[in-house]
Amino acid sequence: MKYKSQKVAYWFFGLCMLLLTLQIIYGFIMGFARIGFDGLHDFIPFNTARAVHTNLLVVWLLTGFMGAAYYIIPEEAQRELVSVKLAYVQLISLALVGVAAVVGYHFNHWEGRKFLEIPRELDYLVVVNVLLFLGLILATLFKGKQKTTTAMVLTMGLVFAALLYIPGMIWFDSQVMDSFFRWWVVHLWVEGVWELIMGGILSFLLIKLTGVDREVIEKWLYVIVGLTFLSGLLGTGHHYYFIGVNKIWLVVGGIFSALEPLAFLAMALFAVNMYRKGEKSHPNKIALYWTIGASIVSFIGAGLLGFAHTLPQTNLYTHGTLVTAMHGHLAFWGAYAMIVLAIISYALPNLTGRKRYDSSHGRMAFWLSNIGMIGMTVAFGVAGVAQVYLERKMKMDFMDVQNEISIHFVVLVICATMFTVGISLFIYDFIKYGKPSDEALEEKSNNVLSGKRINNIPTAKAAYSEETN
Ligand code: HEM
Ligand code: HEM
Ligand SMILES: [Fe+2]
């Protein structure tokens, strides 16, 4: 079944595309500044560009998760959203807080706590906004006809993500305390509860795209949730090695964070296996690319490249260098950006009624952005290793090292250009789909099954050929 209120999701996805575009612009400002083209320095110094780049990333991903929830929860709970009007109020207020924060960064230097630079006054507005969002989602879920594991895991992830925002709002005079609790937000988000959000979206997409039984898919989801909590909670210790807390964290952080890749490995195996098992030839291949792609690239970016610097023996040298940026880019891209682009790719044809499943733009968008991002990761990696060697082994001055490695940023900008062409094609496709329509959602309601095995192949095929004719 499809529900008219799922339309709300479209506008969240639209805001997502807008904020992603802005994020990329600030990425280029930094990339060029690193090569020496820093003409914007007086207006947008590097630290401002960095804060805007990373905060926009967090905001567009959260916007995407919210869109995903507004799309998925009605379908899973089998009822309309409790209030469409309030969902739009939430969307607009989210956009306003986002704009205020971004504009503000250019005039004030507010916080300086990486990723959480939003000033605490605006934090309160964020809290109200998120409470409204969660209220709508929870009310819809609990008034709904069914509470699926997929919907519960997604919602649990969203609720915990909101709760974990609170430790980041407390004021500490001690740098150590401040750092200690900052990681409760930053680490426990990306290596904890956001993984539940990712797992929930992944599970929904696999049910729809592969036609494998819901029971089978949701069993895997339990395993992923289990592995995430087992490793991710105490894994926080990999940020406590040298910040002034008890030495026990060297051992705890080392051991548990070394286990974290298992959850990402499980997700990759999960997605690939379900794809192999699935018999349903869903026409939306592009959505399938992004879905399987997210599970694999997240394992490489988060699992493997995270592991590369997670033991105290290596982290002692790599901490806070471009090695971190290398991992940060591919991990965020693979796990969270790609899963958001996957749900958008899946939802668009259903929301707009235009079944342009297999455009060559769509495929190009996937390959160019992924190859571009892998190139960027390599550029950051090479720069990072050179930086570690020169700065931490050879004891060269920080700024001299930055000069030495600037050539790698030329490579970065070239790869980033390829990445950006890919994203531009994705956004071009997004716009080409046109606006969502009530008819599309009504028409859909009789040919989508909620995860039962595959007797709708003929319908899906019919819908497909009807469109191509
Ligand atoms: C999708 C999941 C992940 C994302 C999005 C992610 C992203 C990031 C980002 C952005 C940073 C820099 C944070 C900061 O300095 O404020 C970071 C740091 C770090 N990450 Fe991850 N990460 C993920 C998973 C992992 C995993 C699974 C591991 C370990 C196996 C790991 C190991 C590390 C370590 C050790 C650092 C600290 C680097 C340093 O000392 O500078 N990450 N991560
Ligand atoms: C075309 C695009 C992009 C360019 C040129 C770019 C460039 C950069 C640069 C130069 C930095 C600062 C590194 C430093 O401290 O010197 C940075 C930071 C960062 N960017 Fe990007 N970026 C781009 C796109 C993205 C995308 C799409 C993502 C996420 C999916 C992302 C995630 C991050 C993160 C997480 C950091 C902080 C890393 C850390 O904490 O060390 N960037 N970016
Ligand atoms: Fe972490």
Side-chain angles (χ1 to χ4, degrees), residues 149-150 153 199-200 203 217-226 270:
T149 305
T150 300
V153 170
S203 159
I217 290 192
E218 288 181 341
K219 243 176 239 155
W220 273 87
L221 194 52
Y222 281 114
V223 175
I224 289 162
V225 173
F270 169 44

Side-chain angles (χ1 to χ4, degrees), residues 242-282:
F242 314 110
I243 67 166
V245 295
N246 196 298
K247 290 258 181 305
I248 187 76
W249 286 110
L250 289 169
V251 180
V252 175
I255 292 173
F256 285 91
S257 70
L259 295 174
E260 282 180 35
L262 290 179
F264 288 95
L265 178 64
M267 263 192 277
L269 292 175
F270 169 44
V272 171
N273 274 329
M274 293 308 111
Y275 169 65
R276 290 233 177 103
K277 240 175 132 94
E279 294 158 32
K280 178 169 159 186
S281 62
H282 196 286

Side-chain angles (χ1 to χ4, degrees), residues 117-134:
E117 279 96 345
I118 290 188
R120 285 181 166 99
E121 301 82 70
L122 276 184
D123 273 345
Y124 294 108
L125 291 179
V126 174
V127 168
V128 175
N129 186 276
V130 171
L131 283 177
L132 178 54
F133 164 72
L134 287 178

Side-chain angles (χ1 to χ4, degrees), residues 20 23-32 34 46 49-50 53-54 57 60-61 114-115 320-334 336-338 373 376 380 387 402 409 412-413 415-417 419-420 423:
L20 165 60
Q23 191 217 342
I24 291 176
I25 292 172
Y26 282 83
F28 275 111
I29 293 175
M30 281 189 287
F32 280 116
R34 286 287 210 149
F46 191 88
R50 203 179 195 291
H53 183 67
T54 50
L57 168 66
W60 84 256
L61 292 175
K114 219 168 126 192
F115 286 98
T321 62
L322 290 163
V323 169
T324 307
M326 158 197 78
H327 153 70
H329 278 85
L330 202 67
F332 260 118
W333 168 252
Y336 304 123
M338 285 183 77
M373 181 51 85
M376 288 168 61
F380 272 126
Q387 180 190 6
Q402 302 304 315
F409 286 88
L412 179 86
V413 165
C415 297
T417 305
F419 171 82
T420 306
I423 296 297

Side-chain angles (χ1 to χ4, degrees), residues 238 257 261 299-311 326-327 331:
H238 67 178
S257 70
F299 173 61
I300 302 173
L304 295 182
L305 296 184
F307 184 78
H309 60 160
T310 203
L311 297 177
M326 158 197 78
H327 153 70

Side-chain angles (χ1 to χ4, degrees), residues 298-374:
S298 65
F299 173 61
I300 302 173
L304 295 182
L305 296 184
F307 184 78
H309 60 160
T310 203
L311 297 177
Q313 293 88 334
T314 33
N315 193 260
L316 176 63
Y317 291 94
T318 58
H319 173 70
T321 62
L322 290 163
V323 169
T324 307
M326 158 197 78
H327 153 70
H329 278 85
L330 202 67
F332 260 118
W333 168 252
Y336 304 123
M338 285 183 77
I339 202 71
V340 167
L341 300 184
I343 184 78
I344 293 179
S345 301
Y346 171 75
L348 275 184
N350 299 340
L351 290 170
T352 61
R354 292 193 60 180
K355 299 180 188 70
R356 320 166 53 247
Y357 292 120
D358 215 356
S359 72
S360 57
H361 290 136
R363 279 166 193 260
M364 292 278 278
F366 177 86
W367 289 112
L368 287 177
S369 57
N370 270 291
I371 295 169
M373 181 51 85
I374 289 169

